[in-house]
Amino acid sequence: KVTWRDVGHLSEQSLAHVIRRDGVDILVELSGHTAHNRLATMAMRPAPVQATWIGYPNSTGLEQVDYRITDEATDPVGTQQEYVEKLERLPGCFLCYTP
């Protein structure tokens, strides 16, 4: 089941409650360390599997975030950069845009 909710008005605590109540299995945050992020909600671990993608191409620094979706160009195999998240590399590029 997929549900879209406007949660911009919710506090971090209220958002975590809604995520738990809805039984979200995999939570993917799209902001990272950019404006209006919800990393404080991720820190409450409202879902059993949590990932970060797109918004900020680096670690969240939160042990509660299990995966960081990336690619081999951004994070080459064997990189010396350390992350608390497990890197999941997509083939090709992990994001797309039109300049």
Side-chain angles (χ1 to χ4, degrees):
K1 179 179 174 185
V2 175
T3 302
W4 179 264
R5 296 188 189 282
D6 179 2
V7 298
H9 64 283
L10 295 178
S11 69
E12 304 290 350
Q13 191 75 25
S14 294
L15 178 55
H17 173 76
V18 167
I19 293 165
R20 287 186 188 107
R21 183 191 68 208
D22 286 353
V24 172
D25 296 311
I26 302 171
L27 181 62
V28 181
E29 75 83 27
L30 304 175
S31 298
H33 289 284
T34 62
H36 312 293
N37 72 64
R38 292 303 194 119
L39 292 177
T41 298
M42 299 293 277
M44 295 177 208
R45 191 145 186 101
V49 177
Q50 301 192 149
T52 184
W53 180 45
I54 284 192
Y56 184 76
N58 209 325
S59 179
T60 62
L62 296 174
E63 293 180 2
Q64 295 88 342
V65 177
D66 304 298
Y67 301 97
R68 190 166 79 74
I69 301 168
T70 187
D71 60 36
E72 288 188 17
T74 306
D75 294 291
V77 174
T79 182
Q80 298 300 309
Q81 175 74 31
E82 294 185 17
Y83 300 97
V84 295
E85 307 91 353
K86 180 180 181 214
L87 299 181
E88 288 296 328
R89 292 177 180 87
L90 296 179
C93 186
F94 83 104
L95 57 84
C96 62
Y97 67 95
T98 302

